[in-house]
Amino acid sequence: MSTKSQRDYVPTSADRFTFGLWTVGNSGADPFGTRTRVPPTPVEIVRRLAPLGAYGVSVHDNDLVPIDATVAERDRVVREFQTALRDHGMVVAMATTNLFTDPVFADGAFTSNDAQVRAYALQKTMRGIDLGAELGAKIFVFWGGREGTECDASKDARDAVRRFREAVNFLCEYVRHQRYEMRFALEAKPNEPRGDLYFPTTGAYLGFIQTLDHPEMVGVNPEVAHEHMAGLNFYHAVGQALEAGKLFHIDLNDQLFGRYDQDLRFGSVSLKSMFYLVKLLEESGYDGPRHFDAHPYRSEAEEGVWDFARGCMRTYLILREKVRAFQADTEIQMVLREATRDDPGLEALGRRFTPEVAERLKRLPLDRIEIAKRRPHYERLDQLVVELLLGVR
Ligand code: DIG
Ligand code: MN
Ligand code: MN
């Protein structure tokens, strides 16, 4: 007899969970150690993720096609992969380019001081976009893993921004020319593998997007670990992106503050903040992929890889049920109501400036001593959330 937990948290493709090939394909190698397991091939990944309830995968160009593959080899690999996707009812929801592994990108790709590197990065990305379109991806992510410096004497930070903008503008025109149904999502990270990375946070990209020729084609792909590395509140970053209509994709994982990019299993560290994130995604009606960009512990053997994948999806589904419990919890909802004072008349005043309104607001008899006497009960509210997440409510 399966318990409630076994029965109710089984993902289906309707939940739109996707995994990067590089996540369950992670070999356990790290800067201090060699691989600890034989990674599954892309076709094996599709075959193993489908029965776990995943909706699809995402790919870097070279996760699938070796960088020096001939056209014939490339076409064969793509055909075999497409057959596996069809056979297992899986999709490629996002594609991206690896502009960080090969030594040619050691000093950046689009922001490199070398014009030939910048040209090669454009060429490689156009081919990556072609591949993504062929695989049916509607989102194309740009993570500038090498777009940064260790020595800021090396380039004027304004040149880096300008070069990146020129590249994104050019590639937006390429997608339009090719008539691909594709949008771009920019992924921020504050540092690693470079000493400092340009566009370190989701907020930096939200500002940058407005300077592009086709801002409507470009959004953001916030990652939990990357905003945490910058010491930021991920729920706030995603809230601002959603409010701006720019949450085109999301990288779910987890991360201790003040550490290197851990890319931990979703919800394995920051349960409360991931609860607020799931609440935001579900209540906002975000209909994009719930994409995991994480990897199993180096200590895991092959079977542990699939424990990791199951855990990412189960935790999301458990938190989603906690969201429903939060919404139905009468005591929580009462404390929330008490913490809010609405005044439609006053609010309307502050929304649209006129000189008359300004004069009226200036003359309003607002007694700050009286106003300050009214206090919200956030200690009570937070304790209720903690008890909800601990399963005692
Ligand atoms: C790392 O967080 C980056 C790369 O794995 C990839 O380019 C991107 C896709 O989500 N995330
Ligand atoms: Mn990461
Ligand atoms: Mn990522």
Side-chain angles (χ1 to χ4, degrees):
M1 165 68 174
S2 69
T3 63
K4 173 174 166 48
S5 71
Q6 261 75 39
R7 201 175 52 247
D8 291 8
Y9 306 115
V10 178
T12 69
S13 55
D15 298 312
R16 295 170 69 83
F17 290 126
T18 58
F19 289 82
L21 287 182
W22 64 92
T23 64
V24 288
N26 177 282
S27 71
D30 66 23
F32 303 99
T34 54
R35 64 169 51 181
T36 56
R37 49 184 178 257
V38 176
T41 65
V43 168
E44 285 169 312
I45 289 170
V46 169
R47 188 171 57 76
R48 289 296 301 264
L49 281 178
L52 296 186
Y55 166 66
V57 292
S58 57
V59 303
H60 293 91
D61 50 352
N62 301 137
D63 296 336
L64 199 58
V65 179
I67 195 166
D68 292 327
T70 64
V71 172
E73 285 162 353
R74 174 233 183 259
D75 292 349
R76 177 184 54 75
V77 164
V78 171
R79 253 193 328 273
E80 286 171 6
F81 189 61
Q82 286 174 314
T83 302
L85 291 167
R86 223 177 7 258
D87 291 351
H88 297 283
M90 292 266 276
V91 300
V92 172
M94 178 271 277
T96 181
T97 328
N98 185 322
L99 297 177
F100 45 86
T101 298
D102 192 276
V104 74
F105 299 125
D107 184 31
F110 299 134
T111 64
S112 168
N113 275 341
D114 184 333
Q116 287 192 345
V117 172
R118 297 200 297 272
Y120 174 62
L122 280 177
Q123 179 187 91
K124 191 171 195 285
T125 306
M126 282 190 280
R127 289 188 180 137
I129 289 171
D130 293 341
L131 173 63
E134 194 174 340
L135 293 170
K138 301 283 186 294
I139 297 289
F140 199 85
V141 160
F142 291 74
W143 171 61
R146 298 289 179 191
E147 313 292 13
T149 67
E150 288 74 37
C151 167
D152 271 329
S154 62
K155 68 190 74 162
D156 184 318
R158 293 168 297 169
D159 289 339
V161 173
R162 271 194 287 267
R163 290 170 184 167
F164 198 84
R165 178 185 301 112
E166 283 169 10
V168 176
N169 282 338
F170 184 90
L171 293 163
C172 279
E173 292 296 354
Y174 180 68
V175 165
R176 291 159 58 89
H177 172 73
Q178 296 291 97
R179 299 191 187 288
Y180 291 148
E181 190 192 341
M182 191 180 277
R183 299 192 299 179
F184 290 168
L186 307 180
E187 178 176 343
K189 187 175 179 182
N191 59 69
E192 191 195 35
R194 297 302 300 268
D196 288 294
L197 292 177
Y198 298 117
F199 308 109
T201 65
T202 294
Y205 268 137
L206 287 172
F208 172 72
I209 287 168
Q210 298 315 316
T211 71
L212 295 170
D213 294 349
H214 295 285
E216 73 287 354
M217 288 181 64
V218 186
V220 289
N221 175 47
E223 176 174 314
V224 177
H226 300 175
E227 300 297 316
H228 281 193
M229 286 171 71
L232 299 176
N233 181 315
F234 188 68
Y235 164 68
H236 293 181
V238 174
Q240 185 179 351
L242 272 168
E243 202 278 338
K246 289 297 180 183
L247 188 71
F248 286 9
H249 196 261
I250 192 165
D251 272 5
L252 299 173
N253 54 24
D254 213 338
Q255 172 79 26
L256 283 158
F257 282 70
R259 300 289 203 289
Y260 65 92
D261 191 3
Q262 295 177 299
D263 291 340
L264 294 168
R265 185 181 78 257
F266 177 70
S268 60
V269 173
S270 333
L271 271 181
K272 197 160 50 161
S273 51
M274 292 305 100
F275 164 73
Y276 293 129
L277 171 67
V278 170
K279 183 169 180 293
L280 179 65
L281 293 178
E282 296 302 318
E283 290 179 345
S284 68
Y286 167 75
D287 62 0
R290 274 71 173 161
H291 176 252
F292 297 108
D293 180 5
H295 57 73
Y297 302 137
R298 182 167 186 265
S299 51
E300 292 300 313
E302 279 74 354
E303 255 330 283
V305 168
W306 310 108
D307 292 338
F308 153 83
R310 273 189 289 267
C312 284
M313 297 187 281
R314 263 177 72 81
T315 299
Y316 188 101
L317 293 178
I318 293 167
L319 289 176
R320 187 172 71 184
E321 185 183 64
K322 292 296 182 187
V323 170
R324 291 172 185 151
F326 177 100
Q327 292 161 340
D329 189 305
T330 51
E331 195 174 352
I332 287 176
Q333 295 306 320
M334 184 182 67
V335 177
L336 277 174
R337 275 195 304 277
E338 287 170 356
T340 308
R341 182 201 326 247
D342 292 325
D343 183 326
L346 262 185
E347 285 159 47
L349 268 187
R351 267 199 212 105
R352 198 175 58 79
F353 176 85
T354 66
E356 295 70 26
V357 164
E359 277 311 308
R360 272 185 60 194
L361 269 174
K362 275 183 166 181
R363 289 195 310 273
L364 268 185
L366 294 168
D367 178 342
R368 63 177 173 76
I369 306 292
E370 276 310 304
I371 295 171
K373 286 177 184 168
R374 195 172 182 284
R375 296 297 177 82
H377 302 296
Y378 290 156
E379 282 290 349
R380 191 179 306 163
L381 177 60
D382 194 78
Q383 181 62 25
L384 289 170
V385 172
V386 166
E387 293 187 10
L388 178 81
L389 295 179
L390 290 175
V392 298
R393 286 192 70 80

